[in-house]
Amino acid sequence: MYEYTDFDEAFVRERVAEFRGQVERRLDGSLTEDEFKPLRLMNGLYLQLHAYMLRIAVPYGTLNGRQMRQFAYIADRWDRGYGHFTTRQNIQFNWPKLQDVPDMLEALADVQMHAMQTSGNCIRNVTADHFSGAATDEIADPRPTAELLRQWSTDHPEFTWLGRKFKIAVTGSEHDRAVIKAHDIGLRLVQDDDGNPGYEVLVGGGLGRTPMLGKVVREFLPKEHLLPYVEAILQVYNLIGRRDNKYKARIKILVHETGIDEIRRLVESTFQENLARFNGVNQEVFDRIEASFAAPEFEPVYDVTPAVDAGLRSWIDTNVADHREPHYAIVTISLKGIGETPGDATSDQMRIMAALAEEFAHDELRISHEQNVILPHVPRRHLAEIYRRLKDAGLATANIGLVSDIIACPGMDYCALATARSIPVAQKISETFADIDRQRDIGPLKIKISGCINACGHHHVGHIGILGLDRAGVENYQITLGGDGTETASIGERAGPGFAYDEIVPAVERLIEAYLDHRSEDTETFLEVYRRMGPAPFKAALYPEAEARSNAA
Amino acid sequence: MAVIITEDGIAADDWADKTVYPFDVFWSGQELPEEALAVEFPNDRKPEDLVPWLDRIEMIRVEFPSFADGRGFSLARRLRTLGYKGRLRAAGPVVSDQHRAAVRVGFDEIELPESVAARQPAEHWVIRKQGSYQQRLAS
Amino acid sequence: MAKRFKPQIATGNDLLDGDVVYFTQGLKWSRFIGDAWIATNEEAAEVLQKEASKFPNDIVGVYLTDVAIDDEGRARPDHFREDFRMRGPSNRPEHGRPVERA
Ligand code: SF4
């Protein structure tokens, strides 16, 4: 894992001191709220419906046990004993007090963490595949790239006051677990015909009001040109991206309105000019970054003779994935207990996850954009013990990838921008399908819920997407179908009129029944049926009255 | 009257009595003045359009309509990349926390409206002495 | 005929802890919606807006919102968003806000 250099340490401490000063200036009135707001946002501090919210970066989702323990400490000391893991591999605390935030940031700096640029119109926390360094299909670990981008984008003098937020994701695998096509810039590590490392660069993806998939702007970018090239994209965006309308200010709109070919031309010419000033990266710095992501020292192969009971068996089936070392496994800890708030963990649960990482799993944890926690390097011989301890902590729900493994944004229970609740909808769906055997029969299914058009819950790329809206003063939920956030990405299509709060869960049930009726064999997934048959059978299930009417006609 | 902020502190505007020409002066057909030439730079114009005259210009005044509109930072960087060596001024209601970024992209000074200056005393504008990631990565 | 005026109150968030607050007739801020000063016509709403905006360093995000009036003449949320602001998160009732003065 990446360890802070003296430079990182000094930088983060300096930022904490700076923010402490800004809070003081706000409290004594020398900064107005208008001026303070972007400064607090740049340090991850929002004002939500009922309180402030502090969003902390978990860079590319990677952390160690000590850092996870510090989250638990922060939750107990300054918050209300729990935290919420988000779809951008961050953690949010929902109840900090303004005067306490500098101390919370100091406590983060003590474990080499920060909350910089987790909000505001700047380059946000860079995300990466949560199976990095462990996946069987990985070409190269994306985290050195993500760390390089983290450093380059931190306090960048040009790109801290952009027209809108800017998100970058990196993957190093064939199978895209980082949803790179839904990011302002998506990077995929590839090799050219001669085996030289580089990137495929996508630009202009994003969800929100106008969902779009990223387009390829450069098929192969040599590795050493990454920073000048990304800098050129950001420059073009900063200078000619729209600023007249918040909903048209993301780079996806610029790419859409200008056309990818013209964007490519502008980026390439800016890139050529930039090369003269900045033609790559200090090799020494980059070598150190690369070295810090070397694989842990895996233990030697041994004979596995595990005793497996039914509970463990079913948990291994769903929550444990193959590791590139066959005697290792990747464990996903579900933060989607039946009826729980997706992504929430108590301080006790955080401490247990930290202990498991330290004792059994090379002291590494990951946060996934699907709001779960991952132990990326687990010797298989420890699986039974890990399962037992997770079970005691209420963390052994065997539902990864199934109907109750729902992504949900905070929605109107916390978020000031929300137009409807999302968490209780997730809770109710999960309670409706509580029976794990039934979930396993339904098979892989991604339900994603957002509480407003901003789409933090990625509803457009859910197999079933749910968007909460305010229709004439009442919560109303719109369904999209057939979305997909992987390498076969697609944007879900709107099914039809929305549903009231108490109608949405039955509507989801009808969708699932329709799927079960129409699948040709047990292994055909929801998404496969949708792609084979189109929306008609699902619409018929959602709107039986309309169906009855048209049959009568 | 606006005040001027530089790394040395706050001062009066030494250009206050001189003309700052509109961006379009070069295309208006009007004869270019003999004197030192200063131009306005609205932040929706292209830096490339000034290239033929960069040597002739003594000061470019880049407009910041609001502190939240960061186009000026990239404009400054682009103008410097294109070879502009003269004085570069950021003009508008920026906040003191942006001073460091302004210097780093190539601005020499900030022209601040008086009302904004009144709330942000000189000590707020002192730049933290701190290295940057970008320098570190490039060197 | 003029459009019927809906009663309004002023609300915002406390600068220090972010909690929801309501502006009272005593020109102070209260945590309880029942204490809120209710404007019942256009002119009163203007005065309310003006008075409630005089605390830029204590209260942030001040806005007027429509309310319903209960039997005792006190303000009650008229929209579900205001209802959630008043009660706290619905997924964790243990973190709810007290709605009435104890
Ligand atoms: S999608 Fe909307 S409601 Fe949900 S967290 Fe994002 S901004 Fe808030």
Side-chain angles (χ1 to χ4, degrees):
Chain A
M1 267 183 57
Y2 184 75
E3 288 277 334
Y4 274 11
T5 59
D6 292 347
F7 179 86
D8 293 297
E9 169 79 21
F11 190 93
V12 168
R13 297 281 177 194
E14 176 62 38
R15 269 295 282 260
V16 175
E18 182 189 50
F19 188 61
R20 201 179 283 283
Q22 289 165 345
V23 169
E24 277 163 20
R25 279 156 60 207
R26 176 67 188 110
L27 295 177
D28 72 20
S30 55
L31 280 176
T32 65
E33 185 61 19
D34 277 353
E35 289 164 341
F36 178 62
K37 189 175 169 188
L39 301 174
R40 70 164 156 75
L41 288 177
M42 241 165 254
N43 288 284
L45 189 63
Y46 282 75
L47 182 57
Q48 293 288 35
L49 274 189
H50 322 287
Y52 286 98
M53 178 271 278
L54 181 64
R55 181 183 293 157
I56 294 160
V58 181
Y60 32 91
T62 297
L63 75 169
N64 61 27
R66 185 158 163 254
Q67 292 170 326
M68 183 65 107
R69 273 177 210 287
Q70 195 75 340
F71 287 163
Y73 171 76
I74 288 171
D76 287 339
R77 168 95 196 260
W78 292 290
D79 210 85
R80 297 193 181 172
Y82 70 102
H84 175 75
F85 291 101
T86 78
T87 54
R88 299 215 70 250
Q89 303 182 311
N90 296 312
I91 184 170
Q92 296 180 175
F93 289 106
N94 290 311
W95 306 97
K97 297 196 176 16
L98 181 57
Q99 320 86 287
D100 290 340
V101 174
D103 291 338
M104 296 168 85
L105 296 178
E106 198 84 60
L108 286 172
D110 289 344
V111 294
Q112 310 196 341
M113 299 202 100
H114 62 77
M116 294 183 291
Q117 293 177 207
T118 55
S119 174
N121 293 336
C122 54
I123 302 170
R124 301 288 188 86
N125 182 31
V126 178
T127 53
D129 184 352
H130 44 262
F131 283 0
S132 300
T136 49
D137 62 342
E138 188 169 274
I139 297 159
D141 192 330
R143 290 174 302 160
T145 299
E147 172 60 23
L148 182 66
L149 287 166
R150 181 192 76 84
Q151 298 194 9
W152 164 80
S153 64
T154 296
D155 195 32
H156 196 294
E158 273 184 81
F159 309 133
T160 303
W161 306 85
L162 297 168
R164 202 78 174 81
K165 59 188 165 185
F166 201 95
K167 300 175 179 177
I168 306 178
V170 199
T171 183
S173 292
E174 286 292 319
H175 185 69
D176 178 13
R177 283 168 294 260
V179 207
I180 62 165
K181 285 188 181 161
H183 285 75
D184 297 280
I185 293 180
L187 296 169
R188 197 161 68 85
L189 280 91
V190 292
Q191 292 179 344
D192 69 4
D193 294 341
D194 300 327
N196 300 310
Y199 304 93
E200 179 187 52
V201 185
L202 288 86
V203 68
L207 301 175
R209 175 172 293 205
T210 325
M212 290 190 190
L213 297 177
K215 300 180 180 66
V216 176
V217 61
R218 181 68 107 83
E219 270 171 28
F220 183 80
L221 179 72
K223 191 175 166 189
E224 63 275 16
H225 284 161
L226 178 69
L227 294 183
Y229 192 83
V230 172
E231 195 152 292
I233 295 177
L234 262 300
Q235 259 174 357
V236 168
Y237 167 60
N238 192 28
L239 286 177
I240 64 170
R242 287 177 63 170
R243 290 182 187 247
D244 57 330
N245 177 341
K246 179 178 160 193
Y247 293 108
K248 305 208 170 200
R250 294 286 290 271
I251 195 173
K252 64 187 173 189
I253 303 293
L254 179 67
V255 172
H256 181 70
E257 289 180 350
T258 313
I260 185 68
D261 294 329
E262 175 65 5
I263 291 292
R264 184 179 297 115
R265 195 188 63 74
L266 290 168
V267 168
E268 292 292 339
S269 80
T270 307
F271 167 62
Q272 292 306 330
E273 282 162 17
N274 284 351
L275 274 183
R277 178 170 51 78
F278 175 36
N279 68 355
V281 66
N282 182 325
Q283 202 52 44
E284 209 179 302
V285 176
F286 191 62
D287 287 347
R288 185 182 173 283
I289 293 175
E290 290 238 286
S292 63
F293 292 99
E297 236 176 83
F298 293 121
E299 59 179 45
V301 181
Y302 46 82
D303 287 337
V304 204
T305 46
V308 233
D309 62 35
L312 176 58
R313 178 81 270 151
S314 123
W315 178 76
I316 289 179
D317 279 351
T318 48
N319 294 37
V320 175
D322 285 343
H323 190 279
R324 61 184 222 211
E325 300 290 325
H327 62 303
Y328 270 68
I330 305 173
V331 168
T332 301
I333 302 171
S334 170
L335 295 185
K336 314 289 177 64
I338 300 303
E340 302 285 342
T341 301
D344 272 16
T346 65
S347 54
D348 284 339
Q349 291 177 328
M350 292 177 200
R351 276 184 284 264
I352 283 158
M353 293 188 282
L356 291 175
E358 287 162 351
E359 275 180 61
F360 302 117
H362 298 277
D363 196 17
E364 242 193 271
L365 299 125
R366 304 283 171 77
I367 310 303
S368 76
H369 72 85
E370 290 173 322
Q371 300 177 288
N372 292 310
V373 175
I374 284 149
L375 300 172
H377 305 297
V378 179
R380 283 186 181 269
R381 65 194 174 99
H382 296 311
L383 287 176
E385 174 65 8
I386 288 173
Y387 173 68
R388 194 187 60 73
R389 292 218 218 156
L390 286 174
K391 208 171 158 199
D392 289 346
L395 287 171
T397 314
N399 63 349
I400 297 304
L402 302 180
V403 47
S404 64
D405 183 12
I406 299 168
I407 288 189
C409 79
M412 199 169 289
D413 287 301
Y414 296 95
C415 179
L417 301 172
T419 43
R421 284 173 294 170
S422 18
I423 293 169
V425 176
Q427 290 174 308
K428 283 194 187 162
I429 295 174
S430 137
E431 278 161 359
T432 304
F433 295 95
D435 179 12
I436 292 288
D437 289 333
R438 186 169 171 212
Q439 295 194 35
R440 288 163 69 110
D441 177 45
I442 295 165
L445 179 58
K446 293 196 191 291
I447 300 182
K448 305 188 193 236
I449 311 175
S450 304
C452 82
I453 196 78
N454 285 335
C456 303
H458 300 174
H459 63 276
H460 299 112
V461 291
H463 303 165
I464 299 175
I466 300 175
L467 165 63
L469 294 170
D470 173 350
R471 236 187 76 204
V474 184
E475 285 167 301
N476 188 270
Y477 294 87
Q478 227 170 56
I479 290 182
T480 48
L481 294 169
D484 173 9
T486 68
E487 64 283 359
T488 49
S490 54
I491 301 284
E493 293 161 61
R494 232 186 100 180
F499 295 88
Y501 180 71
D502 53 6
E503 291 172 355
I504 181 67
V505 180
V508 170
E509 273 190 280
R510 291 201 297 281
L511 279 175
I512 290 172
E513 272 154 28
Y515 151 65
L516 293 173
D517 286 347
H518 290 288
R519 70 180 172 189
S520 56
E521 50 193 321
D522 287 359
T523 52
E524 195 185 24
T525 66
F526 183 95
L527 186 62
E528 285 162 357
V529 172
Y530 184 84
R531 285 186 171 162
R532 174 167 60 83
M533 301 187 70
F538 296 98
K539 284 190 184 175
L542 279 179
Y543 308 104
E545 314 79 34
E547 178 73 2
R549 264 199 313 278
S550 73
N551 286 347
Chain B
M1 216 179 75
V3 301
I4 298 296
I5 307 224
T6 66
E7 284 188 83
D8 300 327
I10 299 188
D13 184 357
D14 61 352
W15 209 279
D17 303 330
K18 293 185 259 179
T19 312
V20 182
Y21 289 88
F23 186 82
D24 292 327
V25 65
F26 304 104
W27 298 274
S28 60
Q30 146 188 15
E31 214 161 289
L32 289 180
E34 288 296 321
E35 65 195 40
L37 185 61
V39 285
E40 294 284 359
F41 202 118
N43 72 0
D44 55 356
R45 308 306 286 265
K46 289 202 192 91
E48 291 77 7
D49 291 348
L50 284 188
V51 165
W53 299 282
L54 284 180
D55 289 344
R56 269 286 277 116
I57 304 173
E58 191 152 322
M59 177 174 85
I60 300 178
R61 183 177 180 274
V62 178
E63 272 173 39
F64 279 75
S66 99
F67 67 86
D69 185 339
R71 275 176 276 194
F73 294 108
S74 279
L75 285 175
R77 177 56 64 79
R78 299 275 302 134
L79 285 166
R80 292 299 190 203
T81 304
L82 294 171
Y84 177 62
K85 303 237 162 45
R87 195 187 326 182
L88 202 48
R89 170 181 289 193
V94 303
V95 291
S96 58
D97 307 83
Q98 293 173 315
H99 190 191
R100 186 162 169 269
V103 170
R104 288 175 55 207
V105 295
F107 282 110
D108 300 295
E109 57 193 31
I110 293 169
E111 179 193 314
L112 195 67
E114 211 168 5
S115 58
V116 182
R119 269 185 299 107
Q120 305 188 51
E123 65 268 22
H124 288 178
W125 294 89
V126 176
I127 296 179
R128 308 172 268 143
K129 285 282 168 273
Q130 189 186 7
S132 76
Y133 277 108
Q134 294 75 29
Q135 266 165 355
R136 213 173 114 77
L137 290 172
S139 62
Chain C
M1 211 181 79
K3 216 180 103 206
R4 236 193 101 213
F5 184 83
K6 272 209 161 183
Q8 292 192 319
I9 61 170
T11 180
N13 293 79
D14 184 277
L15 174 70
L16 298 180
D17 63 9
D19 197 7
V20 176
V21 287
Y22 304 94
F23 194 57
T24 73
Q25 202 130 27
L27 307 185
K28 290 196 166 60
W29 292 88
S30 164
R31 310 252 157 176
F32 304 102
I33 194 171
D35 294 345
W37 171 8
I38 305 169
T40 51
N41 59 54
E42 206 74 59
E43 297 77 54
E46 267 169 42
V47 177
L48 179 60
Q49 171 84 56
K50 198 165 138 249
E51 290 300 322
S53 308
K54 288 184 177 164
F55 303 81
N57 292 327
D58 302 290
I59 309 296
V60 297
V62 174
Y63 62 93
L64 297 191
T65 180
D66 291 354
V67 287
I69 310 280
D70 72 7
D71 296 344
E72 292 165 45
R74 296 176 311 180
R76 282 288 167 259
D78 187 47
H79 185 276
F80 65 93
R81 183 175 195 270
E82 289 304 323
D83 200 58
F84 289 120
R85 284 184 80 235
M86 177 180 80
R87 291 177 201 282
S90 70
N91 65 318
R92 288 184 179 267
E94 71 276 22
H95 295 146
R97 305 173 71 247
V99 172
E100 306 279 351
R101 208 176 277 284

